Amino acid sequence: MRTAIFKVIKPGLLTTVQDLGRYGYQQFGISPSGAMDPYSMQLANILVGNDQGEAVLEASFLGPVLEAGSDMVIAICGGEFSTKVDGREVLMWKSFPLKKGEILSMGSYKQGARAYLAIAGGIDVPVVLKSKSTSLNGGFGGYEGRPLQKSDLLYGKPVIRKPWKELHPELIPQFNKQLTIRVILGPHQQMFTEKSIKQFLSEEYIVTPQSNRMGYRLKGPKLEHQLGSDIISDPIPLGGIQVPASGQPIILMADRQTTGGYTRIGTVISVDIPLLAQAVPDTTVSFTEVSLEEAQRLYLERQKFMKLLQVAAK
């Protein structure tokens, strides 16, 4: 039965409904969107007994204050936020019951940038183009195509699932301000000088405040082109690293544009996207090259790990 699960007391800085994304529509100019950190999002769902791809709330930098509209079971994963229920601190990376009328406050971030709130039974919002994700640029999906606002009511079909689950501490990622991110070089590395390729793989870059769900702007040694920075526009993958004429890299993220006309020096591998998604401004990023085969191996290992956790949690 559909019921109110949360009333928004304070919306936080940017709180949206997200799932694993809206795929198969980039040829129509529709970005996939979806959770910036799909690893944390999926673990939150597993802890409450949902399918891995069920929609959750993604909170960025400053989380929401929510009043529970019914009894439910929730889990919060991702960056470390100062999370409280009726003023008492609660732990992340575990499922726990929330009673009707209790106030959940996700507070501000301590480490990492984004936290994910999963509710057993999921969030009841319309499925648009096979996804519940909010498209902020398109203004559709999620909750009326926008971030949550004060007094919004979220609905769902809450399920009380016992016993409560907790993730082993060794499986909880550490979010710090110094990252080594693995990339596959290309597809336009021939358009950069040999010196720039070496710089890219040996120097450090800083995440600037001009970073958001569309992309992360980095600041560091200028990367020089030898054939110009413009190309005929082509599709942009998640993690694609554009380098415009300024020579400063831009890593394209969940709400990226579907095509672009700047050279791409490389692509961040899938398993490192979650770490990058938790980077706050002034985070130091260095890049290291891996092969396509190694990236695929790591991806398959991550998928196998998720399936094993899903089975173990049942």
Side-chain angles (χ1 to χ4, degrees):
M1 179 179 176
R2 185 174 187 264
T3 185
I5 51 175
F6 281 123
K7 179 180 179 180
V8 179
I9 307 302
K10 295 181 180 179
L13 186 62
L14 179 67
T15 305
T16 58
V17 177
Q18 300 291 347
D19 57 20
L20 288 175
R22 180 174 289 107
Y23 289 91
Y25 301 96
Q26 282 194 229
Q27 67 266 39
F28 305 114
I30 297 172
S31 173
S33 299
M36 287 277 281
D37 176 355
Y39 179 76
S40 296
M41 180 219 122
Q42 290 177 85
L43 289 178
N45 272 321
I46 288 171
L47 289 172
V48 297
N50 290 344
D51 290 338
Q52 291 172 225
E54 180 54 65
V56 302
L57 292 182
E58 178 185 88
S60 300
F61 297 100
L62 176 66
V65 177
L66 307 168
E67 180 182 350
S70 62
D71 293 348
M72 69 187 85
V73 176
I74 68 172
I76 303 171
C77 296
E80 184 182 354
F81 280 54
S82 53
T83 306
K84 298 180 180 180
V85 173
D86 281 354
R88 66 183 188 276
E89 290 190 7
V90 294
L91 295 177
M92 298 176 60
W93 303 96
K94 66 181 296 183
S95 61
F96 60 90
L98 194 65
K99 295 182 179 179
K100 182 178 180 179
E102 289 186 322
I103 304 296
L104 172 68
S105 170
M106 291 180 65
S108 59
Y109 75 97
K110 298 177 181 178
Q111 288 184 331
R114 294 172 175 84
Y116 295 85
L117 167 60
I119 302 101
I123 300 173
D124 189 1
V125 294
V127 176
V128 181
L129 300 177
K130 303 178 183 179
S131 173
K132 295 181 179 181
S133 282
T134 307
S135 173
L136 293 173
N137 296 326
F140 62 86
Y143 191 98
E144 298 181 1
R146 60 170 173 78
L148 296 186
Q149 297 176 3
K150 183 179 179 180
S151 300
D152 283 344
L153 286 176
L154 282 169
Y155 290 85
K157 298 178 181 178
V159 178
I160 306 299
R161 295 189 176 114
K162 295 181 180 180
W164 322 128
K165 308 289 193 309
E166 184 173 355
L167 197 66
H168 193 283
E170 290 184 2
L171 300 179
I172 298 174
Q174 300 299 309
F175 304 119
N176 55 54
K177 295 187 72 175
Q178 211 160 15
L179 299 177
T180 299
I181 298 297
R182 291 167 288 189
V183 300
I184 300 169
L185 282 183
H188 307 123
Q189 71 265 41
Q190 75 279 2
M191 297 184 70
F192 295 87
T193 64
E194 185 176 336
K195 178 183 175 182
S196 287
I197 297 293
K198 290 179 178 178
Q199 276 185 185
F200 176 69
L201 295 173
S202 61
E203 303 285 350
E204 292 184 338
Y205 290 82
I206 303 296
V207 176
T208 71
Q210 291 74 43
S211 301
N212 52 33
R213 281 182 50 88
M214 283 190 68
Y216 279 26
R217 290 183 176 270
L218 307 183
K219 183 178 180 181
K222 182 177 180 180
L223 299 175
E224 298 285 351
H225 298 87
Q226 59 180 355
L227 296 173
S229 62
D230 295 337
I231 59 169
I232 297 173
S233 290
D234 66 357
I236 295 178
L238 176 63
I241 307 171
Q242 285 187 332
V243 184
S246 67
Q248 300 299 304
I250 304 170
I251 306 177
L252 284 307
M253 300 297 285
D255 282 346
R256 64 197 179 276
Q257 68 271 31
T258 56
T259 61
Y262 292 129
T263 51
R264 293 196 307 280
I265 196 169
T267 303
V268 176
I269 68 172
S270 298
V271 298
D272 282 359
I273 288 291
L275 284 177
L276 192 61
Q278 294 290 351
V280 299
D282 293 330
T283 295
T284 299
V285 179
S286 58
F287 297 100
T288 185
E289 182 186 7
V290 297
S291 66
L292 175 60
E293 291 75 17
E294 176 68 0
Q296 290 172 335
R297 184 187 67 80
L298 292 167
Y299 173 78
L300 291 173
E301 280 186 1
R302 174 64 59 83
Q303 294 301 102
K304 182 180 179 180
F305 168 72
M306 285 292 188
K307 288 179 181 178
L308 289 174
L309 275 185
Q310 184 96 58
V311 171
K314 288 184 178 179

